[in-house]
Every structure is written in C-alpha cells, then in structure tokens.
Amino acid sequence: WGTPISYEVFPRLAGITLRAFHLDASACARAFRTGGPLLRDLFGSDLAIPACFCPPIAYGHLACLGSEVIFPENGAPAVRPICSSIDEGIQLLKRDIIFERNALYRQHVEFRRQLQKEFPREQVPFSGFGKEGPITSAVLLRGQDFFMDLYDRPEETKEFLELLTQSIIQFVKFCRDISHQPSVSPAGTGLADDFAALVSPRLWSEFVLPYWQQYYTELTTGPRSLHCEDLTPNHLPYVKELGLMSFDPDRSSKLTPKIINGQLGVPFSWSLQSFEYPALSPETITGWVKAAFADGASNVYSYIYVNMLEKDIPSKVKAFIRAAKESVQNDPPN
C-alpha cells in the first residue's frame, strides 16, 4: 500500500506558484522545507514524505524533439502539437537528435545542481526530465488528428510510431547513462501510456502492442510493468499478451479488481481517487480497502493531491492508511 504525494502539494503548502516551483531552485527548496513538516502535521507519521527532488517535467523527451514546454502560473507543464501531418512527424523523427544539446535539458541539469547546493547532506538524483509512452507521445505531437491517421494513413502511422518508440528508447538510455544505470535493465522497466486507452481494442494488435513490445524488449531483460488509465475489459486480453509482472490501471471506471484479477491474473494495484474522499466516511474507506484486497488487488494506494489538504480529508486518509496497514499485517505476502 502507499500514499504517494503529488509534487503540486509542496508549493501549495509553501504559498509558491507552480511556475516558480519548476523554474526557481530556491523557491523549490523552500517548498520542500516548508511542505514536509506541514504534511507530517496533517497526515501523521505514517505518511512517507520524500526528500527533495527535481520537479517533474513529463515532456522532456518531447522538448528534445522540438516541442515547447509551457509553464503556467499554477498549472502542470504542457505542450502543444507541432506536427501538422503524419509525414511531417516522420521527417521530424528521422533527424539526428542530440538530447544533451536541448536548452530545457541543460536548464534541468543546472536546476538539479542548485538543489544539491540547497541540500548538501542529501543526494538529489537526476530525475524528472521525463518521457511519455509511444501513443501518448504521438497524440501530443500530432494532436487529435493522430486518431484519424490510424484510419486514413495506417502504414505511415506505423512508421511514425516505430520511429517515435525508438526515439523514446534512446532517450531512456540517455537518462540511464546520466544516472549510471545499465542501458538495458535486468531489474525491469515500467511504461506509462494513458492515451492508448483511447485506441479501440480491435486496433491494438496493429497500433499499440508492437510498439510497447519494442519498448520493453530494448529496455529490459527483467520484469515489465504498465500504467494505463481508463482501459476497458475489452483491452485486457491485449494487455495480457505483454507478459507483465505488475499493472496499474489507476482511473479506470469500467474496470474492477474482480475483472482485472479474472482476466489478467497478474499482480495489480487499485487506487482510491482524491475526488472520491468527500463523499466517503472513514468506515466506508476501511471497507473499500478490505474489498479491494479481497477482490484480488496486490496493493492499494491513494495519491495525496492539493484538494486533500483541507477540512476532514486528512482524517480520512489516516483511515485509509490504518485499514491498509491492518490488511497487509493480517495477510502478509508469500
């Protein structure tokens, strides 16, 4: 079980804008110094509070391809589509991309260096300069027109996805090299690709699975894990073909633990969403946790978001933690 903390919580508690948190290392450091103790006061000692880390930029790879990353005053970083056609996307991906020359990458490296000076007794890792999965990256480069490309230009779309997946693989290896990790991990690797859920299950064999397999094959000899939101039961037979060791469906309203357990038969997590808390009592939350485990979930988690900092929500999170701890203690893993 876990209660991971959304990075947005730290600047909110410190009264700092998200833009400052992402772009001003001293403001970021102040957010961690202020936010950590306040989180402990709100949620108690069972909440795992992380040490300082670089604010995540999920679109680091896309920035290296030429996308402009926008930092709103109080919103998550965002990008706009830059490829007006699938042919333009193919030509973009055929260029030689030197990741370390990207201005945002260099800014991120300098940001980490400044954070390390702020916290000399802690190890601030190189992290946060991220990537999305092949389908999500394709949509972010092409916009909604990508879903028409699947039907109007299927062969070109396959070439685009193969090139894009290879670019993502090269980016992951680049980041691993910076962190002194093996380029092909024997310990396993994860993939997050939420927009794949928007592709009809009948198209997955052509437009999703080949590129996910390409990703896993070139990046790990160990366990495979997947995060993909909003899937349906009809997607699960294709997910099963991946040979996963763990699966995180996160927000998937058409799935239940019983459905996932019955169709996949692999360890999976189940999430209590932040927007559900206001309508739930501590007793209902306890029942939710017990039911999730009883129906086959291997672990449960609940992200701490900014909307959970007020009123009676912290006490409900404590109920979630108590129920999860008790369930794990009463039924330890084999």
Side-chain angles (χ1 to χ4, degrees), residues 126-313:
F126 177 83
S127 63
F129 198 67
K131 89 294 181 190
E132 297 287 351
I135 307 304
T136 303
S137 296
V139 175
L140 292 171
L141 286 172
R142 281 285 290 124
Q144 297 298 313
D145 289 343
F146 170 77
F147 297 107
M148 297 303 298
D149 294 333
L150 297 172
Y151 298 93
D152 295 341
R153 306 285 300 279
E155 295 309 312
E156 292 84 355
T157 300
K158 291 174 186 177
E159 181 180 4
F160 174 66
L161 285 171
E162 182 178 359
L163 290 168
L164 180 55
T165 304
Q166 192 58 43
S167 180
I168 294 168
I169 290 166
Q170 291 169 350
F171 178 80
V172 172
K173 290 182 177 181
F174 166 73
C175 292
R176 286 179 176 176
D177 184 60
I178 294 170
S179 301
H180 308 291
Q181 298 173 348
S183 60
V184 179
S185 172
T189 198
L191 172 66
D193 205 357
D194 289 336
F195 283 5
L198 300 178
V199 177
S200 170
R202 66 186 180 86
L203 297 179
W204 268 44
S205 292
E206 284 188 273
F207 295 104
V208 177
L209 291 187
Y211 311 103
W212 283 5
Q213 293 283 15
Q214 179 185 352
Y215 174 92
Y216 285 122
T217 299
E218 295 202 33
L219 286 176
T220 188
T221 56
R224 302 174 172 189
S225 61
L226 173 68
H227 169 101
C228 190
E229 298 181 8
D230 211 29
L231 292 176
T232 69
N234 290 336
H235 285 107
L236 295 184
Y238 300 96
V239 173
K240 191 171 183 177
E241 293 183 30
L242 295 167
L244 298 176
M245 285 300 294
S246 63
F247 172 54
D248 174 23
D250 200 357
R251 302 179 187 180
S252 296
S253 60
K254 295 181 177 63
L255 297 179
T256 66
K258 284 185 177 180
I259 292 173
I260 299 170
N261 194 41
Q263 290 204 36
L264 285 188
V266 302
F268 68 93
S269 59
W270 196 240
S271 172
L272 182 60
Q273 301 293 327
S274 63
F275 62 81
E276 298 180 82
Y277 273 87
L280 301 178
S281 67
E283 293 75 22
T284 306
I285 291 170
T286 298
W288 182 98
V289 171
K290 293 180 178 179
F293 280 124
D295 290 342
S298 301
N299 64 79
V300 296
Y301 69 92
S302 190
Y303 259 96
I304 307 298
Y305 289 103
V306 294
N307 64 326
M308 299 167 68
L309 302 175
E310 301 175 355
K311 299 181 179 179
D312 59 346
I313 303 299

Side-chain angles (χ1 to χ4, degrees), residues 48-85:
I49 299 176
C52 177
F53 55 83
C54 293
I57 303 173
Y59 309 125
H61 170 248
L62 294 176
C64 291
L65 295 181
S67 296
E68 178 189 4
V69 179
I70 302 163
F71 294 91
E73 189 72 13
N74 269 307
V79 293
R80 296 190 181 99
I82 60 172
C83 299
S84 60
S85 69

